[in-house]
Amino acid sequence: MSAADMSPTKPLLPTIRFRMPYAAMTLICLLVIWQAAVMISHLPEYLLPSPLTIITSLYNLSGLLVHHTFVTLIEVVLGFLIALAVAVPLATLICYSPLFERSIYPLIVGSQTIPKVAIAPLLLAAFGYGLIPKITIVALMAFFPIVINTVVGLRSVSQEMIYLAQSMGASPLQQFFRFRMPGALPSMFAGMKMASVLAVIGAVVAEFVGSNSGLGYVITVAGSNFRMDQQFAAIVVLSVLGTVIFWILGQIERSVLPWHKPTQDAA
């Protein structure tokens, strides 16, 4: 029997591979350090609650948090859809009309220097404590990145490609839907994913200013009662909500653009 026949081709014991995303491992390490630090330092819960205390609050307030999460989710989704419906046509006009760009584009950029917290009380005074002012704040927060990235995407199509389409007799509408829009989709999805994060922030800002429901309202009430565990519980739910929306947009991007590698591919 040769040496090659004696060498094992397969391991005698099966190899068990444990795979976990690096972000999850980092989060677990940070939570363990946090729990240990609170236990060693004996900090009171109204200063810094432990992760176990926050998990207990998540369980005890699960019904209440589900209700307020649904309110915040409605504000985020409606505001995001309104921003998308306004931003894409506006970006198209900016891309195709130099006069419109010189007239509107500087105003769009300048409007982003206005703090949304300063606008929120005005909207609340005009429309009350309903959904309208909160959806407006969300739309204003999500509007800008979609416009900017859509303009960049529409202008990223090479002029040679447009000349080729014109030489083949494509109409301006066909050039837009078959050449410019497919080329702009990666940039548009990048802007939409950025806008989804800002939309969650906008909803919370609006609820901070004036609201009787939503996760921002839960954080405000818990803070006034020095219930830091409840505050952290609502913050955890907000983080999960924003992450889920971001992930859903990434899945839509994969299905619409299978040839394009999304930016949030996890290990």
Side-chain angles (χ1 to χ4, degrees):
M1 182 179 294
S2 63
D5 295 332
M6 296 179 60
S7 61
T9 57
K10 295 182 179 180
L12 298 179
L13 295 176
T15 302
I16 300 176
R17 292 185 177 181
F18 179 75
R19 183 179 180 183
M20 181 181 292
Y22 294 125
M25 291 189 291
T26 303
L27 178 61
I28 292 174
C29 292
L30 290 176
L31 291 177
V32 170
I33 295 172
W34 182 355
Q35 181 71 33
V38 172
M39 293 175 63
I40 294 172
S41 61
H42 301 289
L43 284 173
E45 291 186 356
Y46 63 84
L47 289 180
L48 182 65
S50 67
L52 292 179
T53 305
I54 296 171
I55 293 173
T56 303
S57 295
L58 280 170
Y59 177 77
N60 294 333
L61 299 175
S62 57
L64 181 69
L65 290 174
V66 167
H67 167 71
H68 289 285
T69 301
F70 184 71
V71 174
T72 302
L73 179 62
I74 292 176
E75 298 168 358
V76 170
V77 172
L78 292 180
F80 178 83
L81 292 177
I82 291 173
L84 182 64
V86 175
V88 174
L90 194 61
T92 304
L93 290 174
I94 291 173
C95 181
Y96 275 92
S97 174
L99 178 61
F100 189 82
E101 177 185 6
R102 290 192 293 267
S103 303
I104 300 299
Y105 198 69
L107 298 180
I108 294 175
V109 175
S111 66
Q112 298 307 303
T113 63
I114 302 174
K116 303 304 181 290
V117 179
I119 301 177
L122 302 177
L123 294 174
L124 290 172
F127 299 105
Y129 288 85
L131 282 176
I132 294 179
K134 300 173 183 61
I135 293 173
T136 304
I137 293 295
V138 172
L140 291 174
M141 292 284 288
F143 169 77
F144 188 68
I146 300 177
V147 170
I148 295 297
N149 283 272
T150 303
V151 171
V152 171
L154 290 174
R155 288 177 173 172
S156 64
V157 179
S158 63
Q159 195 62 36
E160 289 79 8
M161 185 69 69
I162 301 300
Y163 290 151
L164 177 62
Q166 291 173 351
S167 66
M168 297 176 64
S171 64
L173 201 60
Q174 290 175 329
Q175 296 173 29
F176 178 77
F177 283 106
R178 295 187 181 182
F179 293 91
R180 286 197 183 273
M181 184 56 71
L185 284 177
S187 295
M188 288 178 59
F189 273 105
M192 285 189 288
K193 286 187 284 189
M194 186 185 304
S196 67
V197 177
L198 294 177
V200 176
I201 297 174
V204 176
V205 167
E207 291 167 355
F208 278 167
V209 175
S211 178
N212 53 12
S213 60
L215 292 173
Y217 170 75
V218 174
I219 294 174
T220 302
V221 173
S224 62
N225 294 328
F226 296 98
R227 291 301 305 269
M228 297 299 108
D229 57 329
Q230 296 180 2
Q231 269 196 328
F232 275 99
I235 291 172
V236 169
V237 176
L238 269 175
S239 178
V240 173
L241 178 63
T243 304
V244 169
I245 295 174
F246 190 93
W247 178 82
I248 291 174
L249 288 173
Q251 298 305 308
I252 296 174
E253 182 182 8
R254 285 190 179 93
S255 61
V256 175
L257 305 171
W259 63 90
H260 178 67
K261 184 178 181 181
T263 57
Q264 82 277 14
D265 282 341

